[in-house]
Amino acid sequence: MEVAVKKDYQIALEEQKVEVRNLVLAGLDQIKEGKTKDFNSVCDRLEKKYKNEAI
């Protein structure tokens, strides 16, 4: 059973990594389009959104 839990955890972790990567890339696209002037504001929004999320 422990192996199954570790595998599920690894799958969930990889999915979260992909989601975060996609959000960062979307933020960069917003900056390039002129929708956001400051990368820090993009990071702040991401941090606010995910700070209290379950890991």
Side-chain angles (χ1 to χ4, degrees):
M1 179 159 164
E2 187 175 325
V3 173
V5 171
K6 284 184 180 180
K7 186 173 183 172
D8 289 343
Y9 174 77
Q10 287 291 64
I11 291 170
L13 185 61
E14 288 302 317
E15 289 173 353
Q16 287 178 346
K17 286 180 182 179
V18 169
E19 183 178 355
V20 169
R21 242 182 262 128
N22 288 337
L23 288 169
V24 170
L25 290 174
L28 290 172
D29 287 340
Q30 288 179 353
I31 291 170
K32 289 177 186 174
E33 293 171 2
K35 294 180 180 177
T36 303
K37 302 290 182 197
D38 183 12
F39 186 70
N40 288 331
S41 67
V42 173
C43 292
D44 289 343
R45 285 196 311 257
L46 290 173
E47 183 178 3
K48 191 181 291 186
K49 181 175 182 178
Y50 287 100
K51 188 172 188 172
N52 296 322
E53 289 288 318
I55 297 176

